[in-house]
PDB file of all heavy atoms in Angstrom:
ATOM      1  N   PRO E1124      24.650  32.330 -33.435  1.00  0.00           N
ATOM      2  CA  PRO E1124      24.098  31.086 -32.869  1.00  0.00           C
ATOM      3  C   PRO E1124      25.179  30.223 -32.197  1.00  0.00           C
ATOM      4  O   PRO E1124      26.316  30.125 -32.721  1.00  0.00           O
ATOM      5  CB  PRO E1124      23.475  30.334 -34.040  1.00  0.00           C
ATOM      6  CG  PRO E1124      23.310  31.357 -35.112  1.00  0.00           C
ATOM      7  CD  PRO E1124      24.379  32.388 -34.893  1.00  0.00           C
ATOM      8  N   LEU E1125      24.830  29.662 -31.008  1.00  0.00           N
ATOM      9  CA  LEU E1125      25.798  28.883 -30.271  1.00  0.00           C
ATOM     10  C   LEU E1125      25.542  27.364 -30.443  1.00  0.00           C
ATOM     11  O   LEU E1125      24.356  26.988 -30.329  1.00  0.00           O
ATOM     12  CB  LEU E1125      25.690  29.354 -28.772  1.00  0.00           C
ATOM     13  CG  LEU E1125      26.826  29.063 -27.786  1.00  0.00           C
ATOM     14  CD1 LEU E1125      28.164  29.543 -28.405  1.00  0.00           C
ATOM     15  CD2 LEU E1125      26.529  29.760 -26.501  1.00  0.00           C
ATOM     16  N   CYS E1126      26.567  26.641 -30.657  1.00  0.00           N
ATOM     17  CA  CYS E1126      26.432  25.191 -30.881  1.00  0.00           C
ATOM     18  C   CYS E1126      27.208  24.507 -29.762  1.00  0.00           C
ATOM     19  O   CYS E1126      28.372  24.932 -29.442  1.00  0.00           O
ATOM     20  CB  CYS E1126      27.009  24.828 -32.247  1.00  0.00           C
ATOM     21  SG  CYS E1126      27.119  23.106 -32.570  1.00  0.00           S
ATOM     22  N   LEU E1127      26.670  23.397 -29.252  1.00  0.00           N
ATOM     23  CA  LEU E1127      27.515  22.592 -28.282  1.00  0.00           C
ATOM     24  C   LEU E1127      27.930  21.313 -28.907  1.00  0.00           C
ATOM     25  O   LEU E1127      27.249  20.664 -29.672  1.00  0.00           O
ATOM     26  CB  LEU E1127      26.701  22.328 -27.038  1.00  0.00           C
ATOM     27  CG  LEU E1127      26.454  23.541 -26.046  1.00  0.00           C
ATOM     28  CD1 LEU E1127      25.596  23.179 -24.913  1.00  0.00           C
ATOM     29  CD2 LEU E1127      27.794  24.149 -25.636  1.00  0.00           C
ATOM     30  N   ASP E1128      29.192  20.933 -28.550  1.00  0.00           N
ATOM     31  CA  ASP E1128      29.804  19.664 -28.974  1.00  0.00           C
ATOM     32  C   ASP E1128      30.157  18.908 -27.694  1.00  0.00           C
ATOM     33  O   ASP E1128      29.329  18.129 -27.142  1.00  0.00           O
ATOM     34  CB  ASP E1128      30.990  20.012 -29.856  1.00  0.00           C
ATOM     35  CG  ASP E1128      31.897  18.762 -30.239  1.00  0.00           C
ATOM     36  OD1 ASP E1128      31.606  17.691 -29.789  1.00  0.00           O
ATOM     37  OD2 ASP E1128      32.836  18.890 -30.953  1.00  0.00           O
ATOM     38  N   GLU E1129      31.357  19.159 -27.121  1.00  0.00           N
ATOM     39  CA  GLU E1129      31.871  18.405 -26.040  1.00  0.00           C
ATOM     40  C   GLU E1129      30.975  18.231 -24.809  1.00  0.00           C
ATOM     41  O   GLU E1129      30.958  17.155 -24.210  1.00  0.00           O
ATOM     42  CB  GLU E1129      33.127  19.145 -25.459  1.00  0.00           C
ATOM     43  CG  GLU E1129      34.452  18.897 -26.269  1.00  0.00           C
ATOM     44  CD  GLU E1129      34.693  19.878 -27.398  1.00  0.00           C
ATOM     45  OE1 GLU E1129      33.721  20.478 -27.898  1.00  0.00           O
ATOM     46  OE2 GLU E1129      35.849  20.121 -27.749  1.00  0.00           O
ATOM     47  N   SER E1130      30.194  19.252 -24.505  1.00  0.00           N
ATOM     48  CA  SER E1130      29.364  19.079 -23.230  1.00  0.00           C
ATOM     49  C   SER E1130      28.122  18.259 -23.346  1.00  0.00           C
ATOM     50  O   SER E1130      27.416  17.985 -22.399  1.00  0.00           O
ATOM     51  CB  SER E1130      28.900  20.446 -22.623  1.00  0.00           C
ATOM     52  OG  SER E1130      29.358  21.472 -23.237  1.00  0.00           O
ATOM     53  N   ILE E1131      27.773  17.819 -24.618  1.00  0.00           N
ATOM     54  CA  ILE E1131      26.540  16.963 -24.740  1.00  0.00           C
ATOM     55  C   ILE E1131      26.963  15.498 -24.760  1.00  0.00           C
ATOM     56  O   ILE E1131      27.398  15.009 -25.754  1.00  0.00           O
ATOM     57  CB  ILE E1131      25.794  17.272 -25.980  1.00  0.00           C
ATOM     58  CG1 ILE E1131      25.469  18.847 -25.993  1.00  0.00           C
ATOM     59  CG2 ILE E1131      24.469  16.501 -26.107  1.00  0.00           C
ATOM     60  CD1 ILE E1131      24.601  19.367 -24.846  1.00  0.00           C
ATOM     61  N   HIS E1132      26.840  14.824 -23.607  1.00  0.00           N
ATOM     62  CA  HIS E1132      27.279  13.424 -23.521  1.00  0.00           C
ATOM     63  C   HIS E1132      26.169  12.375 -23.762  1.00  0.00           C
ATOM     64  O   HIS E1132      26.464  11.156 -23.780  1.00  0.00           O
ATOM     65  CB  HIS E1132      27.837  13.080 -22.105  1.00  0.00           C
ATOM     66  CG  HIS E1132      28.782  14.115 -21.566  1.00  0.00           C
ATOM     67  ND1 HIS E1132      29.976  14.299 -22.104  1.00  0.00           N
ATOM     68  CD2 HIS E1132      28.684  14.964 -20.523  1.00  0.00           C
ATOM     69  CE1 HIS E1132      30.612  15.303 -21.419  1.00  0.00           C
ATOM     70  NE2 HIS E1132      29.840  15.669 -20.485  1.00  0.00           N
ATOM     71  N   SER E1133      24.942  12.897 -23.773  1.00  0.00           N
ATOM     72  CA  SER E1133      23.833  11.877 -23.828  1.00  0.00           C
ATOM     73  C   SER E1133      22.561  12.683 -24.155  1.00  0.00           C
ATOM     74  O   SER E1133      22.531  13.900 -24.159  1.00  0.00           O
ATOM     75  CB  SER E1133      23.693  11.332 -22.394  1.00  0.00           C
ATOM     76  OG  SER E1133      23.295  12.378 -21.475  1.00  0.00           O
ATOM     77  N   ALA E1134      21.539  11.891 -24.361  1.00  0.00           N
ATOM     78  CA  ALA E1134      20.227  12.567 -24.611  1.00  0.00           C
ATOM     79  C   ALA E1134      19.757  13.403 -23.455  1.00  0.00           C
ATOM     80  O   ALA E1134      19.191  14.457 -23.610  1.00  0.00           O
ATOM     81  CB  ALA E1134      19.177  11.502 -24.982  1.00  0.00           C
TER      82      ALA E1134
END
Side-chain angles (χ1 to χ4, degrees):
L1125 199 51
C1126 172
L1127 288 178
D1128 172 358
E1129 280 90 333
S1130 353
I1131 306 298
H1132 313 294
S1133 64

